[in-house]
Amino acid sequence: MKKILVTGALGQIGTELVAALRARYGRRQVVASDIRMPSREEIADGPFEHLDCTRQLQLQEVVTRHRVDAIFHLAALLSAVAEEKPQVAWEVNLGSLYRVLELARQQECAVFTPSSIGAFGPTTPKVRTPQDTIQRPTTMYGVTKVAGELLCDYYFHRFGVDARGLRFPGLISHAAPPGGGTTDYAVEIFYEAIRHRRYTCFLRPDTRLDMMYMPDAIRAAIELMEADAARLEHRNAFNVTAMSITPEELAAAIAEEIPGFTVSYRVDPVRQAIADSWPDSIDDGAARREWGWRPEYDLKRLTRDMIAHLRPKLEAAG
Ligand code: NAD
Ligand code: SER
């Protein structure tokens, strides 16, 4: 990877991925892009392009002008937003991926695309969900993720496009807010714990889902893209996880650091139904075997690090 384009770069993952890629490959080598306009500080960090990934000509112009040879394609609508706007989600999530893969075929680029635990559905084995298993999701988000996994496989087998990807669990981070997913509670809870010592959670206390701290997720994406292709049996849509937790377990971990913190529950039926259709825990054995994946943050370490970063940030913001 000599010249990298990141789409959806102003989102929860892109904000930290762009910084990590620039630290590793050089500031000028990583072009950030988004349909939104960045702040002054974000622009000052390195090259930025205003880019709608559903527009083939815009994509083509940016990739050609910057001589891009690897695309981290993050532009998408997350699960809850996708359920509100399924038609837009189809076009953004799948339409843009198709355009990115077509461009990668023509310009010989490598592609990274995140899939999700949302690619599974209610008929998938719920505990230690295998790498290769039933995938019949009941959300538009999941439909676009499964179709996207298949499209990446197709472009590799049919055209030799080096398309790799991970099935991310819910991601917890302090740098940028989440974009409207079902796992957003696991970020919101930290903000509210620090500000008010209480939080009203939109999922039931016993809703078990896989989660991961953002530094692990960023490292996973870069390690997969740098992995020896000869070792990759799956190449794409690897299960990865760091922990499988419920809101009440996360709340208990936070209460150890912030005494007096309490949580109440007001369940949002739409997001609860989405969460209930996803696995409790996924098996990431294939990622461990094929490219050496290992998470570094467990629940305790994540909780301490989140609070250590968020507290001064929120205090400074008043
Ligand atoms: P996000 O919502 O925080 O960011 C997405 C970005 O895409 C936003 O900045 C948005 O402005 C941009 N965007 C939307 N439509 C666009 C378009 N047409 N053209 C260009 N940019 C557009 O999302 P995220 O959390 O950073 O997720 C990135 C990817 O990772 C998505 O594919 C998502 O499904 C996947 N993922 C995320 C999580 C998570 O917990 N955050 C978990 C699993 C998978
Ligand atoms: N965090 C994401 C969501 O809830 C999972 O893909 O949409």
Side-chain angles (χ1 to χ4, degrees):
M1 294 189 286
K2 294 193 189 77
K3 197 75 188 268
I4 299 169
L5 172 68
V6 180
T7 73
L10 299 180
Q12 191 193 5
I13 299 178
T15 299
E16 295 191 48
L17 180 64
V18 167
L21 289 171
R22 284 184 175 154
R24 192 166 179 84
Y25 296 102
R27 208 168 61 87
R28 307 291 315 166
Q29 301 313 109
V30 180
V31 181
S33 73
D34 205 286
I35 199 169
R36 289 187 282 150
M37 285 306 286
S39 66
R40 220 176 274 255
E41 302 82 65
E42 282 164 332
I43 283 200
D45 251 15
F48 180 87
E49 294 286 346
H50 185 237
L51 172 61
D52 177 351
C53 294
T54 63
R55 302 289 179 91
Q56 185 80 24
L57 289 180
Q58 281 187 23
L59 258 173
Q60 189 169 340
E61 197 278 318
V62 168
V63 166
T64 310
R65 179 157 46 83
H66 288 279
R67 298 170 190 264
V68 166
D69 67 358
I71 305 171
F72 284 72
H73 180 49
L74 306 180
L77 302 192
L78 294 197
S79 58
V81 179
E83 265 334 89
E84 278 168 26
K85 308 179 206 167
Q87 296 81 3
V88 182
W90 175 266
E91 182 53 14
V92 174
N93 294 13
L94 208 54
S96 72
L97 177 59
Y98 167 70
R99 290 174 179 88
V100 163
L101 288 168
E102 257 305 287
L103 203 53
R105 175 182 72 79
Q106 293 159 16
Q107 313 262 357
E108 299 186 5
C109 301
V111 177
F112 172 84
T113 323
S115 184
S116 160
I117 51 172
F120 299 117
T123 52
T124 301
K126 231 175 158 40
V127 178
R128 290 195 60 75
T129 302
Q131 174 67 38
D132 303 304
T133 187
I134 301 163
Q135 289 183 267
R136 306 288 294 175
T138 46
T139 60
M140 178 51 93
Y141 182 68
V143 169
T144 64
K145 288 302 180 189
V146 177
E149 291 181 3
L150 293 172
L151 203 56
C152 287
D153 286 348
Y154 180 82
Y155 267 76
F156 170 63
H157 291 298
R158 179 77 170 74
F159 301 119
V161 173
D162 190 1
R164 306 184 186 190
L166 302 168
R167 287 181 189 136
F168 278 135
L171 300 179
I172 300 175
S173 65
H174 54 79
T182 303
T183 59
D184 291 12
Y185 90 84
V187 180
E188 291 170 8
I189 194 171
F190 282 96
Y191 282 78
E192 295 306 303
I194 293 167
R195 282 184 183 133
H196 306 299
R197 287 176 190 251
R198 60 175 189 277
Y199 175 61
T200 305
C201 183
F202 58 76
L203 294 182
R204 275 195 325 266
D206 62 346
T207 309
R208 185 168 293 285
L209 292 167
D210 283 288
M211 298 281 173
M212 185 182 288
Y213 197 32
M214 193 60 86
D216 274 338
I218 300 301
R219 190 171 49 77
I222 295 174
E223 281 179 8
L224 173 62
M225 289 307 280
E226 291 181 350
D228 177 0
R231 284 186 64 200
L232 300 180
E233 219 177 282
H234 287 86
R235 180 174 294 262
N236 175 39
F238 282 97
N239 284 2
V240 283
T241 185
M243 64 200 79
S244 158
I245 56 168
T246 64
E248 65 188 353
E249 288 168 358
L250 180 53
I254 294 172
E256 280 186 29
E257 308 298 323
I258 303 178
F261 172 57
T262 59
V263 180
S264 57
Y265 295 88
R266 192 163 57 236
V267 171
D268 167 12
V270 174
R271 284 179 286 185
Q272 186 65 54
I274 296 174
D276 288 343
S277 76
W278 291 353
D280 284 1
S281 63
I282 59 174
D283 177 358
D284 59 7
R288 288 171 185 262
R289 282 190 302 279
E290 292 179 34
W291 49 277
W293 158 246
R294 288 271 180 291
E296 288 178 357
Y297 288 84
D298 61 11
L299 179 55
K300 196 173 191 66
R301 189 168 174 215
L302 169 155
T303 304
R304 287 196 170 154
D305 205 69
M306 273 295 282
I307 293 169
H309 280 91
L310 263 189
R311 189 171 267 144
K313 181 171 149 177
L314 295 181
E315 277 168 8

